[in-house]
Structure formats: C-alpha cells, structure tokens
Amino acid sequence: VSCPRGHPSAVVIVLAAQPFSRLFRMSTGSSQQPGRQVLLIAVILVGLGVVMVYSSSSALASDRFDDSGFFLERQVFRALAGLVLMFVVARVPLTVLQYLARPLLLIGLALLVLVLAFGEGKGAQRWLPFSLPLSVTMSFQPSEFVKLALVLYLADVLVRKEERIGEWASGLAPRLAVIVIAQCLILMQPDLGTAVAIGLISFAVLWLGGAGSLHLAATALAAVPVVAISLYHSPYQLQRVLSYFRESNPLTDGFQITQSLLAFGSGGLVGVGLGNSMQKHFLPEPHTDFVFALVGEELGLAGTLSVIGLFAALSIHGYRIALSASTHHGFLVAAGTTLMICVYAVLNMGVVTGLVPTTGLPLPFISYGGSSLMWNLCGIGILVSVARDGIRAQAGHSSHSVPGRSGFSW
C-alpha cells in the first residue's frame, strides 16, 4: 500500500485496518448479513472520501496553509473517530435509543439556538466553535446532529401515538410543529438546503409511520410561502434558484456548475487519474460540496457509477434491515436513517450535475467535514443495531415457534 505522494498521515488508514476488521466482526456477528454489508459499504465510502479529500484539496492546502496534507490529517482523524462511534452505537440496544430520542432532540434544538448567538461561518452562522486540549480549535454543525435526532424522535413518537397519527389536531400537527421549529432555526442561519432536506426526510418518515397523504401534501403546499420568504431575505439563495431556471453566466452565478460539468466531461470513461484534476484549481473549496465532480474527473464514469452503486446498495440493504426489524419502532428507525443518508446523497449528486439548484449539502462519507461524517457513521451504527435486534428476535421466535406457523407480524 502506498501513501498519496508519500504523505505520512495516510499510513494511519493502513494501521487502523487490522483492529477495525476485528471490531467489524464483533459488532455484527456471523449471521447478520445486511448489517455487515452496510458496515462494509460505509467503510469503503469513508476510505474513498479520505482519498478524494486529499486529491482534491492538496493544491488548495499548499497555497493556503503551506501543507498539502492539512485537510487530509483532519479528515483522517474525523474518519477514525467516526468509525469508533459507529461501532459503539452498533452495540446500543434499540430500547436505549428510544429512551434517548426526546432528550437528544431537545439538545439538538438548544444547539441550533446557540449557533444563532455564537455561531460562525462564511455568510451564514452554521458552526459552533469549541476548543480541545493542546490548543486545537474545531467546529461543530448542529444541523447535522438534528437531522439524526429528528429521525429518532419521529420513530419514537410515531410508535407511541400510532393510533392517533392519522388525525390532524392530536396526531400529526404536534409532530409537524416540532419539525417546523427545527427548520425555522436552520432557516435563520440561513441554510435553506438543509431545511428542505430535513423536511423531505421527516415527511417520508411521517408517511411511513401512518400520517395521511392529504395532510402531508397540504402541509407541503403551506411551506411554499415560507421558502419564498427565506429566498427573499437571502439574496444569494435567490440567485442560486434563479440561475437554475435561466441561462446563467459561466463566469459569475453559473461558475460553480460550469466548472463541475467541465470536470465530469474531462473525466471520460476512466478518468485522468488521482491527483491529476485540473478543475480543482478552479472550483471553490473542491473538497466539500463538489467533491463528486472531482470523482468524475479523476476516476471517470467508472468512478461515478461505482459511487452511485454503493449508495444504491446502501439503500437496498437499509431497506432490508427495516423490513426485517422485530418492531415497528425498529422499522421506522432503519427506514428513517437510510433516508437520511440517501436523500443527502441524491441531492448532492443532483446539485453537482446541475439537476437541482445549488444547496450546499455535503456528499455523505465523501465530502470533507467532521459533523456530516460523524453523524452519518452514527446512523450506520444505528442500522447495524436494528439488524442485530432483528436477528435476536428471529432466533428467539424460532426457538419458541408453534408448528404450522412461521414468522411474526407487528
């Protein structure tokens, strides 16, 4: 195994492989195939992300920090921390997650309030800074935590209020109020893309939990004026939407998407090779939201289809885990977590290819950034926890099965 340009930080990935393979076997068990598969897919995506972060950011890091591995070192640390978190969460029982659902959401909402008062960012207050030992300063994006907390909360409340969720006043409206509060706090940063993504994920979970389609459709229509107001008060967001619906100037408002499409076109079938991208010198922050374009340029159509295939496989195995869950709560948790990851992936790929307006959403596991990576890996751990719970329930049912009957229902 060779390190990118001989950089010593990449050795950490190799050294971590052996202990993580042992943790992989311990966390899943021998018979838990869907859980093992989502873990494997996540590890592959994280590994690809580390490689692409270095390949796309080395030139920028050299110019800005005089250190080509500046972003690589931070991403490797976050990846290792996220993988540890993933394996820990995989051992947490679903009952504990259900018990913690409401406290976690309250913590998330409190963090969204704090980020409005003390947050930082370029043009938007989205990150909370905090200090670590040895004078290390990092930042945390609360909205990434809130999207997972909302999934856990909705799964919990939809089970507890299952009989009334089809009603408006006592069932659906209070749940929608919680979602709207979270979205409004995110819109105030402002961050329209995250607010819309969280809305899509939440509505899908509510529908899976039994909410009426007409109620959800009416709520979606009522949200249109809110989006319009957000666009009116955020000129750069309005510019992004307008440039999507009209012919944009490739040197001004259409610069990012033009450079992104040039990257895809330059990649051809097999790409120009790792580290050989030209568009990384033109795309602003190429290692973040538009890293998928660099995958297309350096790894070609083969690389982009491989990434799409990995996310498709993740969604299929997440769906299998949801269907095999032993409880309705487990089904909603697994389905919501799978949606959380895949909705972000679809929106990011849509932005980078010009199919949807620019949103600023990261590509899960691959884009540079600690908050997205950590909480997506935590979501993978939750999927494994649901799979393990389903395996235990099936084993217990088999040992106490009645002749002539098979399976069980919720």
Side-chain angles (χ1 to χ4, degrees):
V1 179
S2 60
C3 303
R5 297 188 185 179
H7 200 284
S9 299
V11 178
V12 180
I13 304 173
V14 180
L15 295 178
Q18 185 173 357
F20 273 119
S21 64
R22 184 170 180 270
L23 282 171
F24 179 87
R25 293 190 296 269
M26 292 172 59
S27 298
T28 57
S30 59
S31 61
Q32 191 185 333
Q33 291 303 317
R36 296 185 67 177
Q37 287 157 352
V38 296
L39 272 177
L40 180 60
I41 292 169
V43 170
I44 293 173
L45 287 170
V46 170
L48 175 63
V50 169
V51 172
M52 290 310 304
V53 163
Y54 179 72
S55 181
S56 60
S57 69
S58 57
L60 176 66
S62 295
D63 294 339
R64 187 178 296 178
F65 305 104
D66 197 27
D67 178 8
S68 63
F70 180 86
F71 296 109
L72 170 66
E73 293 168 354
R74 282 153 180 77
Q75 191 71 355
V76 167
F77 171 78
R78 292 160 174 169
L80 294 176
L83 289 170
V84 170
L85 177 64
M86 177 180 73
F87 286 114
V88 169
V89 172
R91 308 295 295 183
V92 177
L94 275 181
T95 52
V96 174
L97 294 176
Q98 188 170 11
Y99 177 79
L100 294 174
R102 281 171 286 180
L104 288 176
L105 180 61
L106 291 175
I107 292 172
L109 294 177
L111 290 172
L112 289 178
V113 174
L114 287 176
V115 81
L116 295 176
F118 306 105
E120 60 183 19
K122 296 180 181 180
Q125 293 177 276
R126 299 178 185 176
W127 291 270
L128 274 177
F130 63 94
S131 298
L132 294 175
L134 303 177
S135 301
V136 177
T137 302
M138 301 188 70
S139 58
F140 168 70
Q141 191 172 1
S143 60
E144 292 290 334
F145 171 73
V146 168
K147 69 179 182 182
L148 180 59
L150 264 176
V151 167
L152 295 177
Y153 164 76
L154 290 174
D156 169 49
V157 75
L158 287 172
V159 170
R160 290 188 292 105
K161 307 291 183 180
E162 185 175 6
E163 296 180 356
R164 288 185 287 176
I165 196 61
E167 303 173 4
W168 172 257
S170 61
L172 183 59
R175 272 75 268 175
L176 289 173
V178 174
I179 297 169
V180 168
I181 290 172
Q183 288 180 300
C184 288
L185 290 172
I186 293 171
L187 285 172
M188 292 169 66
Q189 296 178 3
D191 189 354
L192 179 61
T194 299
V196 170
I198 285 178
L200 291 174
I201 296 165
S202 300
F203 271 44
V205 175
L206 286 171
W207 183 77
L208 290 172
S213 299
L214 290 178
H215 289 161
L216 293 175
T219 305
L221 289 175
V224 173
V226 178
V227 173
I229 293 172
S230 176
L231 292 174
Y232 177 78
H233 288 284
S234 301
Y236 82 95
Q237 291 179 344
L238 180 61
Q239 187 63 36
R240 286 178 170 181
V241 174
L242 291 178
S243 64
Y244 173 76
F245 288 103
R246 68 186 183 193
E247 186 176 356
S248 56
N249 188 333
L251 298 179
T252 55
D253 55 339
F255 182 78
Q256 273 187 308
I257 187 60
T258 299
Q259 298 303 319
S260 176
L261 295 177
L262 283 173
F264 281 113
S266 302
L269 183 61
V270 295
V272 298
L274 286 172
N276 296 325
S277 166
M278 290 299 298
Q279 298 312 121
K280 66 182 178 184
H281 301 287
F282 300 96
L283 272 169
E285 309 293 335
H287 54 299
T288 56
D289 304 340
F290 279 78
V291 71
F292 188 58
L294 276 298
V295 174
E297 184 178 10
E298 297 190 351
L299 302 180
L301 180 64
T304 56
L305 291 180
S306 297
V307 172
I308 293 171
L310 286 169
F311 279 109
L314 180 62
S315 66
I316 291 171
H317 292 306
Y319 178 70
R320 289 178 58 197
I321 290 173
L323 290 181
S324 63
S326 60
T327 64
H328 190 41
H329 174 256
F331 166 77
L332 292 174
V333 168
T337 304
T338 304
L339 283 166
M340 178 190 75
I341 295 171
C342 294
V343 164
Y344 266 65
V346 169
L347 289 177
N348 177 275
M349 293 177 186
V351 167
V352 175
T353 54
L355 297 177
V356 298
T358 303
T359 60
L361 299 178
L363 182 60
F365 309 115
I366 298 179
S367 291
Y368 176 80
S371 299
S372 172
L373 181 60
M374 294 281 287
W375 298 117
N376 282 322
L377 285 173
C378 184
I380 294 294
I382 290 173
L383 280 175
V384 176
S385 177
V386 175
R388 293 176 66 249
D389 183 75
I391 291 292
R392 286 195 299 265
Q394 290 175 10
H397 176 76
S398 298
S399 62
H400 297 87
S401 59
V402 179
R405 298 184 61 184
S406 62
F408 58 94
S409 63
W410 292 329

